[in-house]
Amino acid sequence: MDSTTLRTRRLLALATAAVIALGAGACSSDKDTSAAESGQSGPVNMEFWGWASYEEIVDQWNAAHPDSKVTFKKIPSGAKGGYTQITNAITAGEGPCLAQIEYQTIPSMLVKNTVMDITEYASADMAKYAPSAVAASSIGGKIYGVPVDVGPMVLFYRKDLFAKYGITEPPATWAEYKADAEKVAAADPSVKFGTAPGEGNDLAAFSLQTGQSWYSTQGNSWTVSIDNPGTRKVASFWQDLKDRGLVAKTGNAWDPQFNKAATAGKVLSFVNASWAAGGLKSDLKDQSGKWAVAAMPTWEAGDGKSSSNGGSATSVMTGCKTPREAVQFAAFLSSDPQAVKAGIAGGLYPASKAGQDDSSLTAGDSYFGGQKVGDLYKASAEQVPTTWTNGPTYQQVETDFTDAIGQGSLPDAVTEVQASTVAAIKKLGLAVTNG
C-alpha cells in the first residue's frame, strides 16, 4: 500500500478511527454484503488461503457440508509474502473469502481494509476459546477472526544436566532462574543455563507475561508503549544474564547453533511456546527422554502468570459475499473435535478449550519420558494475560527489534524501537502518541 498518497492516508485514518473511536469494523468494499444479506441461497463456494496443513480439515468440512464447498490454497507464511499476496488479490477483486492471519497481524490487515468485522456471526461462540486468543482476535470490542491455535509458553529443560549441576527442581521464578544460571556458570563457565531473547517476537512474549501492552488506543489515536516498565524489566533481566555470560545470546530448538550446543551438553534449557517441542523432536531425536517441561518462571512467586508466542485466527476477508457461511467453516476448523485432532496432528496447539483436552494432548509424551506435557501447556494457556493489544505495524517492529538486538543491548533496543514504531505509524498517516 502506498502510504504517501492522500487517498491512502485518508483511508487509513478512517479505518483506524472506525476501529478505535467507534469500535466498528473496517470500511466495506463494494462487494461486501450487509448483515441482512450475508447468507446465500443455493450451493456456496469459498476460497481459504493459508500456510498451515489444513487440507485434511477442509476435506472433512466438504464431506460433511456438500452445499458449502471450501477450496484451500496453500500460500507462503505471512513473513514470506503471504499477507502481501492476500492484500494484492483483494485489491484486484480476486481475494479469498477466508485466510489464516496471525494474531499480531490482524491490526495491520484491518488498517489495510482487508479483514471483516464478524462479531455478529462469531460472538456467541467465543467462550469456547482461550480468553487470550479471543482478545488477540478482537479490536475495539469487535471480532476479526476465529481463534485457531495458541503458543503457551513453558520451560524446556534437560533433566540429566539439571541433575549433573545439582539443580533439584526447575526454577519457579525468574529470581530462581538467575540463581540456577549462576550455579551452573560457577561449575563450568562454558555451559549456559538457557538462551536469551534474540528477536522482537521473543521480547514481546516475555513482555506479555508482565501484563503491560506495547500498544493501546486513546480516542482516535494509537499510543505506543513499547518502552514500558514491564518490558524494561524483561530487557534488563536478560541483558544482565547475557553480559555475565550466564545464557547463550540467542537460540531455540531448530536453531543450528542451539542444536550444536545442546548436543555437546552446553545448554540446559530454553523458554518458548509449546510448538518448540517439535524442534526438539525433529532435530534432537537422540536426546529423547532427557528433556522435560515445566511452567514458565514467573516474576512473583505463585502468581502463575504465563505467556503465549504465536498462533493465528481464521479471518473473513473484505469482499466475501458469504460471511455467515465463512464463519461457520472457521468455527468448524477451530472447534470440531475431528478438525481439532487433525490440527493437533499438524503441530497446532488448539485455542479451543475442549480441544486442549484431546486425548492426544493429555496422554504421556514419550519424548519427554512419558511426562504429560499437555497438562502444562493447558495450564499455561489459561494464565496468559488478556491485556495485550497488537499494533498496526507488526513487521516493522519485528524487523527493527531483530536489527537493534543484533547491534546493541536489549534496553537500547527497547528505546530505539519505541521511537521507530511511533515514526512508522505516523508514516501511515495515523494519529499516534508516545506512551
Side-chain angles (χ1 to χ4, degrees):
M1 179 177 292
D2 182 3
S3 61
T4 64
T5 67
L6 288 175
R7 176 179 179 276
T8 300
R9 289 170 67 88
R10 183 171 180 272
L11 285 173
L12 289 169
L14 288 173
T16 298
V19 174
I20 299 172
L22 303 178
C27 303
S28 298
S29 74
D30 290 339
K31 297 196 306 177
D32 287 348
T33 55
S34 67
E37 299 170 343
S38 62
Q40 175 174 305
S41 60
V44 172
N45 291 283
M46 299 177 288
E47 278 199 356
F48 171 37
W49 292 10
W51 55 90
S53 299
Y54 286 144
E55 292 87 350
E56 182 179 344
I57 298 174
V58 170
D59 288 343
Q60 291 172 351
W61 168 268
N62 288 335
H65 301 81
D67 292 328
S68 183
K69 181 181 179 181
V70 173
T71 301
F72 181 62
K73 177 181 177 179
K74 202 76 170 280
I75 60 172
S77 67
K80 297 180 180 178
Y83 295 134
T84 299
Q85 189 172 337
I86 292 170
T87 301
N88 289 343
I90 291 174
T91 301
E94 299 176 352
C97 200
L98 302 116
Q100 177 183 3
I101 307 293
E102 294 166 293
Y103 297 126
Q104 68 267 23
T105 308
I106 289 176
S108 60
M109 296 296 278
L110 177 59
V111 165
K112 293 177 181 178
N113 191 32
T114 55
V115 293
M116 290 178 62
D117 171 10
I118 57 172
T119 309
E120 178 181 0
Y121 311 111
S123 60
D125 289 333
M126 286 299 103
K128 294 180 179 179
Y129 308 107
S132 60
V134 175
S137 303
S138 306
I139 304 173
K142 301 295 183 179
I143 301 167
Y144 293 93
V146 177
V148 177
D149 62 309
V150 291
M153 297 277 279
V154 292
L155 172 73
F156 295 95
Y157 68 99
R158 284 278 297 271
K159 293 183 294 185
D160 57 332
L161 296 182
F162 267 40
K164 177 180 178 180
Y165 292 101
I167 301 172
T168 58
E169 296 287 343
T173 66
W174 289 115
E176 291 176 7
Y177 183 98
K178 179 182 287 190
D180 287 340
E182 293 169 340
K183 186 174 185 178
V184 170
D188 187 344
S190 71
V191 177
K192 309 302 178 185
F193 184 74
T195 60
E199 59 180 17
N201 269 337
D202 294 338
L203 197 59
F206 285 110
S207 296
L208 168 59
Q209 186 187 29
T210 71
Q212 293 185 282
S213 178
W214 283 359
Y215 305 89
S216 61
T217 58
Q218 197 171 40
N220 63 350
S221 173
W222 288 94
T223 298
V224 179
S225 303
I226 292 173
D227 194 350
N228 66 56
T231 301
R232 277 273 155 200
K233 177 169 65 175
V234 169
S236 297
F237 175 84
W238 287 107
Q239 190 61 47
D240 176 56
L241 296 185
K242 288 174 67 176
D243 291 343
R244 296 166 61 194
L246 303 181
V247 294
K249 293 182 179 179
T250 60
N252 282 301
W254 77 81
D255 180 307
Q257 291 182 328
F258 173 88
N259 291 340
K260 182 179 179 181
T263 299
K266 295 296 185 179
V267 62
L268 278 68
S269 72
F270 69 101
V271 179
N272 211 320
S274 56
W275 45 259
L280 291 174
K281 294 176 182 180
S282 64
D283 295 352
L284 298 171
K285 296 183 179 70
D286 61 339
Q287 293 187 6
S288 177
K290 295 182 178 180
W291 286 90
V293 179
M296 182 182 188
T298 61
W299 291 104
E300 300 294 335
D303 74 4
K305 289 182 182 178
S306 190
S307 187
S308 183
N309 188 351
S312 62
T314 306
S315 293
V316 180
M317 312 311 292
T318 298
C320 179
K321 295 181 178 180
T322 54
R324 179 184 290 114
E325 290 82 357
V327 171
Q328 288 171 352
F329 167 75
F332 173 89
L333 186 154
S334 293
S335 61
D336 177 82
Q338 293 306 310
V340 169
K341 190 176 288 292
I344 293 170
L348 302 178
Y349 186 77
S352 162
K353 295 176 184 177
Q356 292 171 10
D357 290 325
D358 185 87
S359 60
S360 62
L361 295 175
T362 57
D365 189 315
S366 60
Y367 185 88
F368 296 105
Q371 183 183 8
K372 293 185 176 181
V373 296
D375 292 346
L376 288 160
Y377 299 158
K378 180 180 179 181
S380 175
E382 292 173 344
Q383 295 296 324
V384 178
T386 59
T387 50
W388 187 267
T389 297
N390 288 307
T393 59
Y394 165 72
Q395 194 58 57
Q396 163 265 319
V397 171
E398 169 62 13
T399 299
D400 288 359
F401 253 125
T402 301
D403 291 346
I405 291 172
Q407 297 171 9
S409 72
L410 287 166
D412 287 346
V414 171
T415 300
E416 291 175 24
V417 179
Q418 168 74 27
S420 67
T421 302
V422 170
I425 295 176
K426 284 182 179 178
K427 189 175 181 181
L428 287 176
L430 306 176
V432 60
T433 60
N434 275 294

